[in-house]
């Protein structure tokens, strides 16, 4: 049985993928830990009456947590705008032997025996219950 479908990667898709990758890695984990440390320092500062330092810790904490998403958003906008791969849909043909991906004149094939893991696969086959209520 052969299955064919097209996939168009949107800015939102690429941003979500990059956010997931960023926060799974050491940079994301360290930024979350640093944010927690800054919040704890702010609470301790308020308890000691050090209002200026507490507010400063909160501001730096917000900057730490906002920097990664904002920088990724800008990077994703640039990639979507400048990279041909994201301007046209990818055409997939999947059968029992190979996964074939093509875009324009370019084609690639990957035999299933070389696939060791499939992750991050989302298939939407019908509207979600929330979407059905909105109609």
């Amino acid at each position: 049985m052969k299955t064919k479908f097209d996939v168009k990667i949107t800015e939102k898709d690429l941003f979500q993928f990059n956010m997931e990758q960023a926060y799974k890695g050491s940079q994301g984990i360290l930024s979350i830990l640093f944010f927690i440390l800054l919040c704890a320092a702010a609470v301790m500062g308020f308890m000691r009456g050090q209002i200026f330092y507490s507010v400063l810790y909160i501001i730096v904490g917000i900057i730490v947590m906002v920097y990664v998403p904002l920088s990724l958003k800008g990077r994703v906008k640039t990639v979507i705008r400048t990279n041909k791969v994201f301007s046209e849909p990818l055409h997939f043909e999947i059968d029992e032997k190979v996964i074939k991906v093509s875009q324009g004149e370019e084609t690639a094939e990957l035999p299933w025996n070389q696939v060791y893991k499939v992750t991050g696969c989302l298939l939407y086959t019908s509207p979600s219950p929330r979407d059905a209520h909105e109609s």
Side-chain angles (χ1 to χ4, degrees):
M1 182 174 110
K2 186 180 263 190
T3 303
K4 298 178 182 182
F5 56 93
D6 291 330
V7 174
K8 174 85 166 101
I9 298 172
T10 65
E11 186 177 313
K12 181 181 175 184
D13 298 328
L14 190 57
F15 177 71
Q16 288 176 337
F17 173 79
N18 283 330
M19 283 290 288
E20 183 178 330
Q21 296 303 310
Y23 282 103
K24 278 185 176 178
S26 59
Q27 176 189 3
I29 293 168
L30 287 175
S31 66
I32 291 169
L33 290 175
F34 189 54
F35 175 75
I36 292 169
L37 180 66
L38 287 167
C39 287
V43 168
M44 291 174 58
F46 277 125
M47 290 171 54
R48 292 184 184 144
Q50 299 173 331
I51 304 300
F52 175 77
Y53 288 111
S54 296
V55 170
L56 187 63
Y57 294 145
I58 291 170
I59 291 170
V60 171
I62 291 170
I63 290 170
V64 165
M65 289 309 292
V66 170
Y67 172 75
V68 171
L70 287 180
S71 67
L72 286 177
K73 190 75 164 170
R75 204 173 314 151
V76 163
K77 283 182 182 287
T78 302
V79 167
I80 290 287
R81 194 173 53 247
T82 60
N83 195 326
K84 182 185 177 239
V85 172
F86 299 109
S87 64
E88 299 173 17
L90 295 167
H91 179 71
F92 286 82
E93 292 182 29
I94 300 174
D95 62 26
E96 294 84 11
K97 296 179 182 175
V98 298
I99 302 170
K100 183 178 175 182
V101 182
S102 60
Q103 185 180 50
E105 301 296 318
E106 301 292 323
T107 302
E109 286 188 9
L110 179 67
W112 277 108
N113 64 4
Q114 292 181 8
V115 175
Y116 67 94
K117 185 177 182 181
V118 176
T119 62
C121 183
L122 300 174
L123 299 175
Y124 295 95
T125 57
S126 65
S128 70
R130 187 186 77 215
D131 293 337
H133 293 296
E134 291 175 358
S135 305

